[in-house]
Structures are given as structure tokens and as C-alpha cells.
């Protein structure tokens, strides 16, 4: 076993452990922070597998944007930050569904590949990825940025009721 294998196992264990903590904790903010640890461990896995671009995209988009959006949503909606009784549900149905889904995916994976070898495609470069994203995928990329901007502006307006209020409502 090489050092890379040990690092993959360690990062995988951290990702799975943090993922379990995300779904088992009763604190919503802690669940968001455990999600940061899980996603950072996945980015570390990508780095060990020498997929640096994917690792940085993981960090920027998921850790940097999605988790921050989740935490801001919790703070702006004034949701309870401490332990919540709403999150205390029996775990056996979720374990049954998760275990069944995992077993089904494992059977599907083994059936699909049957221990055969798969030829790898040509290695990608940042130049090729940039040409594809900003060539044929530029319109969806720009539409997504406008959609995210509209969501951000909507969140600001909803969190500050005095922005859209009439002068009479402001006096009250």
C-alpha cells in the first residue's frame, strides 16, 4: 500500500464520517459546518487523484458558495440555531432506505462492469475545458450567473423588509 492509498483511505473516512454527522446532528448550523468538512475531504480526494481543477471547483462552488448560501439562509430566516426537536426522527427508516439504495448501486456497479477493464479517454487540460465551457456552453453559463444574481437580490430584499416598503409602512 502506497502513501497515496493511505491518504485516499483517510480522506474517504473523514468524508464518510462528516457525512454521517451531517445527517445525524440535531444542530442545523453544525450540520452545515460538518458539510464543509465533508466537501473539503472530497476536494482532498480529488487532489490526491491529481484532478486539481476539479478539486478547486469543488472548493469554490460547493464549499465557498453552497454552504455559505445554506448558512446565510439559516441566519436570514431566523431559524432556530440550537438543537431542534423537529430533527429528532427515528433513524431506522432512513437507514433502511440508504442501505437499500447503497446495496442496489453496488449490485448495479458490479453488474455493469463485471471486473472488466475500461480504456481511459485522452487526458483533459484546462485549455480544452475552457474552450468547451466558454465555447459551446457559454449561454447556459451566463444564464446561471444571472439566475444566481437574481436569487441573491431576492434574498436581500426578503431579509430587509424596509427596502420595498412604502413611506407609510416605514413610519409604523
Amino acid at each position: 500500500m502506497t502513501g497515496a492509498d493511505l491518504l485516499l483511505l483517510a480522506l474517504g473516512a473523514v468524508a464518510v464520517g462528516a457525512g454521517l454527522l451531517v445527517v445525524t446532528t440535531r444542530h442545523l448550523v453544525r450540520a452545515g459546518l460538518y458539510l464543509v468538512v465533508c466537501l473539503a475531504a472530497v476536494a482532498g480526494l480529488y487532489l490526491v487523484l491529481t484532478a486539481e481543477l476539479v478539486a478547486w471547483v469543488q472548493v469554490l462552488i460547493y464549499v465557498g458558495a453552497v454552504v455559505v448560501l445554506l448558512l446565510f439562509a439559516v441566519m436570514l430566516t431566523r431559524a432556530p440555531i440550537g438543537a431542534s426537536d423537529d430533527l429528532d426522527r427515528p433513524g431506522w427508516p432512513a437507514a433502511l432506505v440508504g442501505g437499500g439504495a447503497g446495496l442496489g448501486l453496488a449490485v448495479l456497479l458490479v453488474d455493469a462492469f463485471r471486473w472488466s477493464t475500461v480504456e481511459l479517454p485522452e487526458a483533459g487540460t484546462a485549455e480544452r475545458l475552457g474552450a468547451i465551457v466558454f465555447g459551446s456552453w457559454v449561454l447556459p453559463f451566463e444564464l446561471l450567473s444571472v439566475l444566481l444574481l437574481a436569487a441573491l437580490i431576492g434574498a436581500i430584499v426578503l431579509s430587509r423588509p424596509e427596502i420595498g416598503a412604502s413611506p407609510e409602512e416605514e413610519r409604523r
Side-chain angles (χ1 to χ4, degrees):
M1 221 177 198
T2 65
D5 293 338
L6 290 174
L7 196 55
L8 282 172
L9 285 173
L11 286 170
V14 168
V16 169
L20 285 173
L21 286 172
V22 167
V23 297
T24 56
T25 186
R26 295 180 62 205
H27 296 267
L28 195 56
V29 174
R30 288 183 187 170
L33 296 175
Y34 290 140
L35 184 62
V36 169
V37 172
C38 180
L39 294 173
V42 171
L45 289 169
Y46 289 139
L47 282 175
V48 173
L49 294 172
T50 66
E52 292 87 5
L53 179 66
V54 179
W56 288 117
V57 168
Q58 171 87 11
V59 169
L60 290 175
I61 292 179
Y62 287 110
V63 176
V66 172
V67 174
V68 169
L69 180 67
L70 171 81
L71 293 176
F72 271 112
V74 168
M75 287 186 262
L76 291 175
T77 58
R78 297 182 180 95
I81 292 180
S84 176
D85 292 333
D86 295 344
L87 301 176
D88 191 23
R89 297 188 178 135
W92 66 268
L96 185 65
V97 170
L103 182 64
L105 287 173
V107 168
L108 182 69
L109 182 71
V110 169
D111 184 54
F113 290 104
R114 297 201 185 264
W115 307 109
S116 63
T117 59
V118 178
E119 291 187 27
L120 295 175
E122 180 184 343
T125 63
E127 181 180 349
R128 278 190 23 207
L129 180 65
I132 290 171
V133 167
F134 294 113
S136 58
W137 287 94
V138 71
L139 182 62
F141 187 78
E142 291 298 324
L143 286 176
L144 182 62
S145 67
V146 170
L147 177 70
L148 289 173
L149 177 65
L152 181 64
I153 292 171
I156 291 170
V157 168
L158 288 175
S159 68
R160 305 220 17 216
E162 70 271 5
I163 289 178
S166 65
E168 294 175 2
E169 292 175 349
E170 285 182 15
R171 290 184 199 129
R172 288 187 230 170

